[in-house]
Amino acid sequence: MNVTQMNLKKVINASGKMSILGVSTISDDVLEAMKIGASNYYEMDQLYEESGKIVSQYMGTENAVITNSASAAIALAVAGFVTKGDTYSVERLPSLPLTKEIIIMKGHIIDYGAPVSTMIQLGRGLVKEVGYANGCSLQQIEAAITEQTIGIMFIKSHHTVQKNMPNLQDVSKLAYQNQIPFILDIAAEGNIAGYAELADVIIVSGSKAIEGPTSGILAGRKKYVTFAKQHLQGIGRAMKIGKESILGLLKALENFTEHKMSEQEQLLILKWLMELEKINGVKVSVHQDESGREIYRARIHIDETSTKLSAVELTKSLRNGNIAIYTRDYYANIGYFDIDPRALSRQDVEYIVTRIKQLLGV
């Protein structure tokens, strides 16, 4: 079927690498790698093994396996922690009692299209929340450890609570001191190397910052990756990834290490949005990503006492136009939204500026 025959809106992605928009676009050479994968036969077990070796080299880990998504990688990692190589338990995972605890800070229980707690439970881990929505301490995490604790999970993301929370290094140290396996989710991070000494298992999205096909990466210590891979013949069967996506991800990883949009390139695109400051009641500022990633966004402040629409009304109208413009509108209710430059061209920015002027009656 020709895609032009479907009733699909054109979308301008000013929100970033978001699953609701298909995450990212794929380059021609990644598409070519996927074509090669789709056009040939492979022994899939060997393809999993060889591709995992390549991925582990990029990440500096002992081993890795490519999955069909980062969320699948979470479920498989937890399942591996639960069964620890016991083939009888692997075969019967869905019926195992939900008693093995995964400790996670309450401020890290996020919904990225599905709750992270759902993926933990899918792997038959019992979610054990610690702390509060506005903070947590290392003492609270340590006090939660019992004989049933099989892992501690940390999510490095701008979606998590940032204030009054222990940092990654401290939680990692606590896990190792207590001999508890440590899962680190860096699904959308711009840097995927340098975490091998901090975590036993590392979770990455292949389609966000890496800009590969829909996929995920489970990497880390050989023992834990091996435990997780046993579930590819269990619950992982419902999460299998095709050969074309494996080859596409490998090419995307190659590209990813060669070029990422620099701070200067991002700021140049954002500079074009300063035109909006000419509108009464609109202010534009530039902010770095909350989690410290090298991502810079324009923050559009809307004074609804001076403008025709509030920030909530404006972002909704931008989405509902003939060309849908998606912004980062998490804080629209308090008067501002962000524009992420990474997927934008000069023409996209000019259209965004024009559309905002139209909607505000300028």
Side-chain angles (χ1 to χ4, degrees):
M1 180 178 181
N2 191 323
V3 70
T4 59
Q5 294 177 299
M6 292 189 284
N7 186 24
L8 299 174
K9 272 188 180 182
K10 177 180 177 181
V11 173
I12 293 178
N13 180 8
S15 64
K17 314 292 186 179
M18 308 299 289
S19 296
I20 59 170
L21 300 178
V23 188
S24 61
T25 55
I26 295 175
S27 64
D28 289 343
D29 50 356
V30 171
L31 285 171
E32 182 60 30
M34 294 179 71
K35 181 180 177 181
I36 292 171
S39 303
N40 290 278
Y41 294 105
Y42 305 94
E43 293 180 335
M44 293 304 294
D45 286 347
Q46 185 182 36
L47 182 58
Y48 279 126
E49 287 296 325
E50 293 302 313
S51 61
K53 291 176 184 177
I54 295 171
V55 172
S56 64
Q57 290 173 1
Y58 282 114
M59 297 190 63
T61 58
E62 294 177 3
N63 206 346
V65 63
I66 298 174
T67 65
N68 72 351
S69 65
S71 55
I74 294 172
L76 292 170
V78 171
F81 283 5
V82 169
T83 58
K84 295 182 179 179
D86 177 22
T87 55
Y88 183 87
S89 297
V90 170
E91 293 172 357
R92 291 158 181 80
L93 181 76
S95 62
L96 295 182
L98 204 63
T99 58
K100 303 298 184 180
E101 302 167 349
I102 298 292
I103 293 174
I104 183 169
M105 291 182 284
K106 189 177 187 69
H108 285 206
I109 298 288
I110 59 173
D111 185 328
Y112 50 81
V116 67
S117 54
T118 297
M119 297 305 115
I120 295 172
Q121 291 168 336
L122 185 59
R124 298 309 288 168
L126 177 63
V127 179
K128 191 170 190 178
E129 295 183 14
V130 294
Y132 303 97
N134 63 343
C136 185
S137 68
L138 286 171
Q139 291 74 24
Q140 287 174 303
I141 297 173
E142 189 162 31
I145 297 172
T146 70
E147 291 183 356
Q148 295 300 314
T149 302
I150 59 168
I152 296 174
M153 186 169 185
F154 189 101
I155 299 177
K156 183 174 172 57
S157 168
H158 64 281
H159 290 299
T160 62
V161 174
Q162 303 294 318
K163 66 176 185 179
N164 198 27
M165 301 285 277
N167 63 34
L168 168 59
Q169 289 74 16
D170 288 342
V171 178
S172 170
K173 183 178 179 181
L174 176 67
Y176 283 121
Q177 287 175 339
N178 287 273
Q179 298 182 322
I180 304 294
F182 187 48
I183 307 174
L184 172 61
D185 182 333
I186 55 167
E189 290 300 296
N191 179 26
I192 62 172
Y195 295 100
E197 299 304 316
L198 290 172
D200 297 291
V201 171
I202 304 163
I203 309 296
V204 181
S205 168
S207 53
K208 290 186 177 176
I210 297 172
E211 296 188 339
T214 300
S215 56
I217 294 170
L218 189 166
R221 303 195 187 282
K222 185 175 181 179
K223 175 173 70 172
Y224 295 115
V225 175
T226 300
F227 289 164
K229 284 166 66 176
Q230 285 186 295
H231 291 276
L232 295 177
Q233 281 73 49
I235 63 166
R237 180 67 178 178
M239 311 169 189
K240 66 179 180 180
I241 186 167
K243 57 192 190 309
E244 64 284 347
S245 293
I246 292 175
L247 267 66
L249 176 59
L250 294 179
K251 185 61 183 179
L253 274 169
E254 182 183 323
N255 293 346
F256 178 68
T257 60
E258 292 176 355
H259 175 72
K260 290 180 285 187
M261 183 178 276
S262 68
E263 176 183 343
Q264 291 73 23
E265 289 171 314
Q266 293 178 62
L267 294 178
L268 176 60
I269 292 174
L270 296 178
K271 183 179 179 181
W272 302 330
L273 290 164
M274 293 301 172
E275 175 73 15
L276 293 171
E277 288 231 312
K278 296 178 181 178
I279 303 173
N280 185 38
V282 177
K283 296 295 181 185
V284 182
S285 57
V286 174
H287 290 260
Q288 187 175 1
D289 180 78
E290 296 92 331
S291 65
R293 293 182 294 171
E294 293 181 0
I295 300 172
Y296 297 84
R297 302 184 181 100
R299 181 156 293 172
I300 315 299
H301 299 260
I302 304 295
D303 179 1
E304 62 182 284
T305 64
S306 303
T307 58
K308 186 178 177 181
L309 299 174
S310 67
V312 171
E313 293 168 331
L314 179 57
T315 55
K316 183 178 180 180
S317 296
L318 288 169
R319 288 195 305 272
N320 292 338
N322 292 329
I323 296 177
I325 300 171
Y326 276 77
T327 62
R328 300 176 71 84
D329 57 0
Y330 306 119
Y331 296 99
N333 63 308
I334 57 174
Y336 67 85
F337 60 91
D338 291 348
I339 290 180
D340 190 304
R342 291 173 293 164
L344 299 178
S345 66
R346 176 74 182 255
Q347 291 72 27
D348 290 333
V349 175
E350 289 175 350
Y351 183 82
I352 291 170
V353 170
T354 298
R355 184 70 178 136
I356 289 176
K357 286 180 175 180
Q358 289 174 345
L359 290 168
L360 294 182
V362 177

